[in-house]
Amino acid sequence: MRIRRRDFLKAGAALGAVAATGMPTLNAFAAGSDQKAGGMGTEPGKWIASTCQGCTTWCPVEIFVQNGRAVKVKGNQYSKQNDGYVCPRGHMSLQQLYDPDRVKVPMKRTNPVKGRGVDPKFVPITWDEALNTVADKMMELRKNNESEKYMLLRGRYSYMRDVIYDVMTKVYGSPNNISHSSLCAEAENFGAYYTEGMWGYRDYDVSNSKYVVIWGCDPTNSNRLVPAMIKRFGDVLDTATVAVVDPRMQTTATKAQEWLPIIPGQDGALATALAHVILTEGLWSREFVGDFKDGKNLFKAGQTVDEAAFDEKETHGIVKWWNIELKDRTPDWAAKITGISKEQIIRVAKGMGKAAPHVVVWMGPGAAMHVRGGYSAMAVNALNGLLGSIDNVGGTLAGAKQAANSIPKLDKYLDEVAQKHGKMKKIDQRGTKALPSLNEGKSGGGSIANNVATAMLAKDPYDIKMAIGYMNNFTFSCTGAQRWEKAMEQLPFYVHITTNVSEMTQYADIVLPARITMFEKWAYVKQKQNRYAHVSLIQPVVEPMWDVRHDETEIPFLIAEKLKERGFSNLHECLVNEYKDPETGLPARTGEEFALYSVKYYTHPAWSEKGATMGDRINGWEDYRQRGVWNSNPYKYKSRWGGKFGKDEETDGKTTTKGTVSHKFEFYSETLKKALTGHAEKHKTDVDDILKACNYTAKGELAFVPHYEPPFRYGDEKEYPFTFIDYKSRLNREGRSQNSPWYYEFHKVDFGDESHEDMLQINPSDASKLGVKTGDMVKITTVTGSYMLKVKLWEGVRPGTVAKCYGQGHWAYGKVASKEFGKTPRGVNNNEIMPFDTERLSGANVRNGGFTGVKIEKA
């Protein structure tokens, strides 16, 4: 196949003309169509099941298809997690599918110079040329005995990620499969794991709650469970008290009975003060936590308690926590540093205690993704344990099990190169002294994605010579984004699998066009919500208009074929042998067949007898395709009570513990103590030294309990008197909706924002002192540089703070997203405003907690 540049450009111009008429007028693609612009018309169509990946709710949906065109989206009628509803993100997806700026064919770079604003001078090439180039580069590294210098960068994913992320990287022989997960919420997971032994997102039984505390997130707007929360929120307001802890009045706070506009970064102070009141008032859960042996409450402010006086049940270390941290964390103390009045702290704590155990404390990134956020995350989650709401009616739940297969065993496909180089240090520096990244108790157990740029620039532990990235745009989506621009400039060879030419694509040597998830791709996802787990199918509902491939499955298969031609057949043998069609037993012969067979392999339990024992009975593959989703049986309350917060496992004669070491909910974390001690011993030092290296202040026993850490801030308060707040739009489709005109048209649905603008929200009292009003331009300066923004006065942002919605500021991605494609951004990227740092115990990227100081000057 030979593609002429003229034809390539003509195709783009044709689609651009469609966009100019008001994309997406989807039926305009039909010859002789009699529909009015934007309408579905009266022609027959069909609802086809798939899954929205506009956020990590991952809603099962149905898409209405007329004459081969997707024209409407709704929630899947069979779904028990979103009850057949979908939020605005699902509807916006249509503009992504028919975006005229999508990458349509493979391309190669012809300009060797890389940099921001530098034209890559991409030219179209065939898939064969592109894949040959990629395979040659991979084989070159293997022949030079440096396969570890190959890296796979994963952004958002489906669960077909196993193929490109794990199988291809490991069989090839590199340790560097780097996930974006630390950019999202690993500090949240740290807080949950080192109290309740679960590294993962919690489920919330809000339908049965009597008190709901939304902390550092906005579940009717972003985070998780969005459609389900929107549907239930009215009932929740009628049957429960809702309190929101957030320095900005986000969507949920506008309807809540209590808004606690906390000073950013002081979450640990508020959480420990609430715990103090709950204990001194005797409002803890006796059923879950236990009680004093004589029934007399000995928790008195400032007084230590004899541990032997308390008889614990499902928890470990309540008295230790009190003596080490809580006894002096009074509401008076907290009021001075949180900005929340003593009276409100006491009122909310008592309300929670009286509603217990039917209480949800819903922790989000705002409570955890701080420089010192690991312990505040523990403190917030510990409130659920204190109130007995863990795995309880109206509380927080671990979630039901999902019916899906695991990744096949790869050992027999790992040759000597893969075995040796696959065990080398990862490029993100996880597990080093100052970067413990203690995922599930293991030193170096989790990704530190945003540190990759720093490591690449330093060539420590070595240099990276080749990388493949997919569903990612780290030069835009990572704080301190400027480092990524420099790192990508010096990367010798980069392959970007993408739907749009994003900022990261501008540094690519080969661009591979991807099918868009939800509409064109075979895949599946797993999620848990409303007591149900689901396994939801992503399937092609329309034929692709352009020469695109499945990113996570088909492209690795095609690369494997090319590697086989060059003498390395292990990857191809693995994919062919391990991912056979479970219905016929046949191996895949083509990339498209592999995309289908591999998703059937993973989802097979959901549409077989095994799935029927765990939840829905689905009668085979075709029935699953029609329904689109498998639902589990409802999660059983108190599933982990009775010492099941951890369990011991025997492997090769060695005992390891999964979950908490004590097998109970831990207020004094023996699990964290073991992990920190192990990491310290690995580096021949002690825990105090490790915490100092990780920018924490705790010493001694304080290291093992949820506690208050003073927030770390970039920028002296005298020079940078304001604190920056980053928040998410309800229209952000994982940062991929900024080339959609609808994003800008409806941006006013985000409280305090205006359509078609990128605004800096300032409290009117602060604006008066600065002499600015709505619409004025200001220069904001942080330690990273200076930026020009338009002001919006809004009472919903706490005085002393300024807020800005994440999403705008693209200088690439498309003609709508950028002001001048490839050169001039539309608005300002929050991740350029904020500097790079890491919550080092979890490896999480820092983007909250008041860590960015801001100076504002009227332009």
Side-chain angles (χ1 to χ4, degrees), residues 48-295:
I48 303 175
S50 193
T51 306
C52 178
Q53 285 198 277
C55 71
T56 48
T57 304
W58 288 339
C59 284
V61 298
E62 296 178 50
I63 299 157
F64 194 64
V65 177
Q66 287 177 314
N67 292 332
R69 298 178 307 281
V71 297
K72 191 174 178 64
V73 178
K74 68 177 183 179
N76 188 314
Q77 60 186 310
Y78 296 108
S79 172
K80 294 182 180 178
Q81 65 100 314
N82 67 354
D83 302 313
Y85 290 86
V86 68
C87 81
R89 292 177 181 85
H91 304 291
M92 290 182 65
S93 62
L94 292 166
Q95 287 197 332
Q96 285 183 279
L97 172 63
Y98 294 113
D99 183 350
D101 291 334
R102 280 183 61 184
V103 182
K104 302 167 183 67
V105 296
M107 300 186 296
K108 71 177 180 182
R109 181 185 208 93
T110 60
N111 184 359
V113 179
K114 295 183 179 181
R116 180 166 178 166
V118 176
D119 184 357
K121 296 184 179 178
F122 289 129
V123 297
I125 58 175
T126 64
W127 272 97
D128 200 48
E129 180 182 349
L131 294 166
N132 280 328
T133 305
V134 174
D136 285 342
K137 292 291 184 181
M138 293 178 74
M139 289 304 298
E140 181 182 332
L141 289 179
R142 267 192 143 253
K143 288 175 181 177
N144 292 338
N145 204 34
E146 48 185 8
S147 60
E148 75 280 2
K149 297 183 179 182
Y150 163 87
M151 174 173 65
L152 189 286
L153 293 172
R154 182 186 83 192
R156 176 54 63 215
Y157 54 84
S158 78
Y159 278 90
M160 299 313 298
R161 65 187 186 184
D162 287 357
V163 178
I164 192 170
Y165 176 75
D166 276 313
V167 178
M168 187 168 84
T169 311
K170 291 176 179 177
V171 174
Y172 170 75
S174 175
N176 288 313
N177 50 346
I178 305 297
S179 168
H180 83 296
S181 56
S182 59
L183 303 180
C184 293
E186 292 299 72
E188 283 183 57
N189 293 335
F190 179 92
Y193 186 80
Y194 289 106
T195 50
E196 61 177 292
M198 185 182 77
W199 194 283
Y201 304 121
R202 284 69 57 206
D203 190 11
Y204 303 97
D205 190 26
V206 294
S207 294
N208 296 305
S209 295
K210 301 300 180 186
Y211 208 108
V212 179
V213 182
I214 306 295
W215 203 314
C217 61
D218 189 0
T220 60
N221 191 71
S222 60
N223 203 252
R224 293 168 184 84
L225 287 75
V226 178
M229 189 62 176
I230 292 173
K231 177 178 181 289
R232 287 166 171 73
F233 195 45
D235 292 336
V236 171
L237 290 170
D238 289 340
T239 60
T241 298
V242 177
V244 173
V245 182
D246 201 299
R248 179 181 173 275
M249 181 176 277
Q250 32 84 327
T251 310
T252 314
T254 63
K255 298 293 184 181
Q257 288 92 344
E258 298 274 3
W259 176 37
L260 294 82
I262 192 169
I263 294 174
Q266 300 292 358
D267 304 84
L270 179 59
T272 53
L274 291 171
H276 177 99
V277 174
I278 290 167
L279 290 175
T280 56
E281 294 290 330
L283 298 173
W284 73 87
S285 168
R286 267 70 173 176
E287 181 188 20
F288 188 72
V289 180
D291 201 359
F292 288 99
K293 293 177 180 177
D294 63 2

Side-chain angles (χ1 to χ4, degrees), residues 15-26 88 91-102 500 729 731-733 736-750 754-757 808 810 813-818 826:
L15 267 297
V18 174
T21 63
M23 269 289 291
T25 308
L26 304 177
H91 304 291
M92 290 182 65
S93 62
L94 292 166
Q95 287 197 332
Q96 285 183 279
L97 172 63
Y98 294 113
D99 183 350
D101 291 334
R102 280 183 61 184
N500 287 67
S729 169
L731 304 178
N732 259 351
R733 286 185 51 81
R736 295 183 180 87
S737 47
Q738 277 68 48
N739 208 48
S740 164
W742 283 341
Y743 175 86
Y744 303 94
E745 181 179 355
F746 298 111
H747 190 37
K748 63 185 177 183
V749 301
D750 297 312
E754 294 184 3
S755 294
H756 305 290
E757 297 289 353
Q808 296 189 54
H810 280 283
Y813 210 83
K815 297 180 184 67
V816 177
S818 58
R826 178 173 180 169

